[in-house]
Each structure stands twice: as structure tokens, then as C-alpha cells.
Amino acid sequence: MAQKRMFSLGVIDTDRFLDMPASAQALYFHLGMHGDDDGFVSAPKKIARAAGCNDDDLRLLITKDFVIPFESGVIVITDWHINNTLKNDRYHETVYLKERSQLAVDDSGRYVVGTGLEPTWNQSGTNLEPEHN
């Protein structure tokens, strides 16, 4: 895990972020500092307690879509790829491969739950479907 982290003004200088209480904002920064190189945080409740925040602050970050929780207790910071970039020689893959497999990165660089791809219907075979007038 890197010792330095960054935060994008495109994420934290928004009304959606600034409308949260200072304790929730502080928790976001603390979680960002503890994230691994893919943005996963293994003990968000412990970090919240250490930062003087409470479970309501964590729930607010989840509700406002700043973090995505998993059943395992791990969270991922939604805007991780917007906030942070690492050189390939410094990157260490997350150990939370199961959780990461449930995510995709959208066009703006945010984590989203699911594949992020819309299913497409592909015609198979040579039979054409009739057109409806």
C-alpha cells in the first residue's frame, strides 16, 4: 500500500460532498488514506472509531454513493480512480478479488456494482425476426 494518497477537487469540491457533516467528510479522507491500491478498505468501522466518527457517517457515505459496501465488511471508495493514479511499478493488486469481480469502472472512472455493460441482443443463426409495422 502506498504512503501517499490524493483527492480530486472534482469529487470533494461538490455540493454533494460539502453538504455532508464535517465528520462524514473527515471519514471519507481517512478511508481514502487507508485504501489499498485499488481503493478497498478492510476495516471501515475501526477507522471511523479511530477518527472520532460514528456509524451514521459511514452510512451517509454509503447513501451518497461515496463508498460501496460488501457483505464481507470491506468497502471500496467509489471515486478511487478519479482521486488516485499509480505507476504500474508501484501498484499492488488488492487481496479482495472476489469483491473487485463484482465491480466495473464506468466511463467517468467511478466504480459501479455489476459489469457496467448493458446486455445486447445478438441475432444467432440465419433466421431474421420479422419487422413490425
Side-chain angles (χ1 to χ4, degrees), residues 103-116:
L103 300 172
V105 178
D106 69 10
D107 293 337
S108 65
R110 301 182 83 226
Y111 279 120
V112 291
V113 177
T115 63

Side-chain angles (χ1 to χ4, degrees), residues 13-123:
D13 197 27
T14 61
D15 287 341
R16 185 171 70 100
F17 185 82
L18 296 172
D19 284 344
M20 293 190 303
S23 58
Q25 293 177 29
L27 179 56
Y28 181 78
F29 291 121
H30 281 279
L31 292 172
M33 292 303 297
H34 286 88
D36 67 12
D37 289 350
D38 285 315
F40 287 86
V41 180
S42 62
K45 289 181 181 181
K46 178 183 100 173
I47 294 167
R49 284 190 297 271
C53 302
N54 58 42
D55 288 341
D56 288 338
D57 295 318
L58 186 55
R59 279 192 288 274
L60 183 58
L61 290 175
I62 293 167
T63 301
K64 293 246 185 186
D65 200 30
F66 284 102
V67 298
I68 298 171
F70 294 94
E71 288 183 20
S72 63
V74 172
I75 64 164
V76 68
I77 299 168
T78 307
D79 296 306
W80 184 260
H81 295 291
I82 297 170
N83 288 332
N84 292 281
T85 56
L86 287 174
K87 294 180 180 180
N88 288 340
D89 63 333
R90 296 179 185 253
Y91 170 75
H92 299 288
E93 184 176 43
T94 187
V95 297
Y96 302 105
L97 299 177
K98 178 182 172 193
E99 288 84 355
R100 192 177 71 184
S101 71
Q102 300 173 34
L103 300 172
V105 178
D106 69 10
D107 293 337
S108 65
R110 301 182 83 226
Y111 279 120
V112 291
V113 177
T115 63
L117 301 174
E118 291 185 28
T120 56
W121 180 80
N122 292 322
Q123 181 176 336

